[in-house]
Amino acid sequence: MFQFSQGPQGASWITGTDANAYGIANAVPVDLGGFYVPGDSLDNSYSTLIKSIKPKDGQDNPAYKKKLIQVSDLSSQEITLRDAATKDYYSWAANNTKSDGTPAKSFDEWLTYAFGGSSWGVKMNELASQIDELNSEMSAILKTMDAGLSDALSNLGTDTMPISRGGKAIQVPAVTILGDLASDKSRWDGYGTDEFDFDITINKDAVIKYPWKTVYETTVKHDCFETSVETHVNTSRIIADVNYNLRFTAKGLQGYQVSRGKWYYPAYVNPNVQLVDGIVGLTNDSFFGVNGSLHLIPETILVMYRPTIKLTVSEQTYKQQFAANADAGLDWVDFFSFRFKFDTIASLQPVDNGDGTTTITFSSPENASPQIIGVTSKVVYNEN
């Protein structure tokens, strides 16, 4: 299943195993449909699942069950804390951006930033340490009940890699984004003026005939045209224009596969898995229902570099939807999930085509960073 990103997301990893890559690869999409919005951390949700699976011999160990309840409580606190921190981060990021419109710091960087979310980072690390300690104790108990589950739980704490969070190095389950983004960017930077990895033209007929129609119709419902100040651009009006023609190009387009270490056992990520009886608040739907934390498992991150949108519409639509907002004091414009700098209407390079139409150009800055435009995920969904 492929989902386009709901908003701009920087492809900010360096090595594929750094903190930024871990945060990107480890997020589980919030919704089964619509647009990609990063949600719960996969390793936390997966860890909760592994600890909640009923051992093969079917015997409930009181000590194990007690620790499982403690971990469940701490995991709930961790999710609540991360949700609160994420909201705080989005608020901070909206007011602290780079010249290309992306956040000045990634979420993981922000968690270590003294003037950002360092207090959140400290609290999250404390909870993680408590969960790790209980995890070790549960693993020892589980060895006497189910060796397979014991190995799965043990590998959560042993198959790890270091990242920096909250000002110190911590160990997290190994997750790699394969490929070499830095080399790809260097290659894209060497392309000629008219050399693109992606080049597609969409007009009024194409909206009716091709899958892009779904993208546009859904985007309209999500207010796809957003700006740094309140405006009244009607995206439906733009698409419905009889002269509507959109050429979308990008210097770079590349998919990067997510690879998880031996800590991740796909066989356990199953809607039919049996959980320990009596764990308050946890059912199969908690993981695999329509709002479950493991209903989608990210597999590929799609990255685009230096997108340019050339939009042709009737002169009247141009004047009503764009020129009318020229003096609104805009700093940036989000158009079809991409953020472009806006320095008055002149920055859109309007061209009168002499036939009653006008073409405007949304261009990425020269120093723009690659952006994540969508994620392909494996669907693990309980329909019952």
Side-chain angles (χ1 to χ4, degrees):
M1 176 178 180
F2 179 76
Q3 296 172 302
F4 281 100
S5 294
Q6 186 179 48
Q9 296 184 59
S12 54
W13 69 86
I14 298 174
T15 66
T17 58
D18 60 25
N20 291 336
Y22 169 75
I24 292 168
N26 198 41
V28 178
V30 170
D31 298 317
L32 283 167
F35 285 81
Y36 172 74
V37 178
D40 294 331
S41 298
L42 183 137
D43 60 6
N44 286 337
S45 297
Y46 172 81
S47 174
T48 301
L49 171 68
I50 291 298
K51 296 166 190 172
S52 305
I53 294 176
K54 192 169 186 177
K56 285 182 179 179
D57 64 9
Q59 300 300 313
D60 291 337
N61 183 295
Y64 182 87
K65 193 169 182 178
K66 179 180 179 180
K67 293 183 186 299
L68 175 57
I69 292 172
Q70 291 176 314
V71 169
S72 178
D73 290 341
L74 289 174
S75 296
S76 295
Q77 294 177 39
E78 191 174 45
I79 291 172
T80 300
L81 188 66
R82 177 170 283 273
D83 287 345
T86 300
K87 291 178 181 177
D88 198 10
Y89 168 71
Y90 282 148
S91 177
W92 178 89
N95 297 297
N96 296 270
T97 59
K98 300 176 184 177
S99 59
D100 63 356
T102 56
K105 293 183 180 296
S106 69
F107 180 67
D108 284 309
E109 292 171 335
W110 177 78
L111 287 174
T112 69
Y113 183 45
F115 300 101
S118 58
S119 62
W120 292 109
V122 170
K123 293 175 184 177
M124 290 166 67
N125 285 338
E126 290 175 351
L127 276 176
S129 295
Q130 294 178 55
I131 292 174
D132 286 344
E133 183 176 350
L134 284 168
N135 185 57
S136 296
E137 295 171 359
M138 290 172 65
S139 181
I141 296 173
L142 193 56
K143 284 183 179 179
T144 65
M145 301 168 67
D146 189 326
L149 270 181
S150 177
D151 288 343
L153 186 57
S154 177
N155 283 341
L156 278 171
T158 58
D159 182 23
T160 62
M161 66 181 189
I163 64 170
S164 178
R165 178 184 288 169
K168 66 177 183 180
I170 65 170
Q171 296 291 325
V172 296
V175 179
T176 301
I177 298 182
L178 302 178
D180 191 334
L181 178 61
S183 294
D184 289 336
K185 182 181 180 300
S186 295
R187 174 169 54 84
W188 295 331
D189 284 333
Y191 281 2
T193 304
D194 295 320
E195 191 174 1
F196 309 104
D197 275 357
F198 181 80
D199 188 346
I200 187 170
T201 297
I202 306 165
N203 55 34
K204 189 171 183 295
D205 291 333
V207 171
I208 295 172
K209 292 170 60 178
Y210 296 107
W212 288 89
K213 175 185 178 184
T214 302
V215 175
Y216 286 146
E217 287 183 344
T218 307
T219 308
V220 171
K221 295 175 185 176
H222 283 76
D223 301 322
C224 78
F225 194 102
E226 298 178 352
T227 64
S228 54
V229 299
E230 181 67 25
T231 63
H232 300 284
V233 175
N234 187 332
T235 312
S236 298
R237 172 71 180 87
I238 296 169
I239 296 174
D241 187 281
V242 67
N243 293 301
Y244 167 73
N245 191 84
L246 182 145
R247 185 187 179 197
F248 195 152
T249 63
K251 286 296 181 184
L253 182 69
Q254 180 68 42
Y256 297 88
Q257 186 177 354
V258 176
S259 176
R260 299 177 181 86
K262 62 182 182 180
W263 61 269
Y264 179 72
Y265 289 66
Y268 285 122
V269 184
N270 187 322
N272 297 317
V273 69
Q274 188 175 6
L275 305 183
V276 172
D277 297 331
I279 303 302
V280 178
L282 282 182
T283 65
N284 286 63
D285 277 354
S286 302
F287 301 103
F288 307 112
V290 66
N291 296 312
S293 59
L294 292 174
H295 56 196
L296 294 173
I297 308 299
E299 294 184 324
T300 304
I301 311 295
L302 186 63
V303 172
M304 183 174 280
Y305 182 53
R306 299 280 302 279
T308 296
I309 294 176
K310 288 186 177 292
L311 175 66
T312 300
V313 291
S314 300
E315 183 178 356
Q316 182 181 12
T317 298
Y318 161 72
K319 290 179 178 179
Q320 291 175 346
Q321 303 302 323
F322 295 98
N325 294 300
D327 298 322
L330 305 183
D331 297 315
W332 50 261
V333 172
D334 273 358
F335 193 60
F336 297 119
S337 296
F338 290 92
R339 180 167 292 184
F340 301 94
K341 187 175 180 181
F342 187 92
D343 293 325
T344 75
I345 200 69
S347 66
L348 300 183
Q349 308 167 47
V351 175
D352 185 342
N353 298 313
D355 58 359
T357 67
T358 299
T359 298
I360 55 179
T361 303
F362 297 85
S363 298
S364 295
E366 290 292 326
N367 62 345
S369 301
Q371 287 183 306
I372 297 170
I373 66 166
V375 173
T376 298
S377 302
K378 177 184 178 182
V379 179
V380 185
Y381 174 52
N382 184 11
E383 297 181 351
N384 297 325

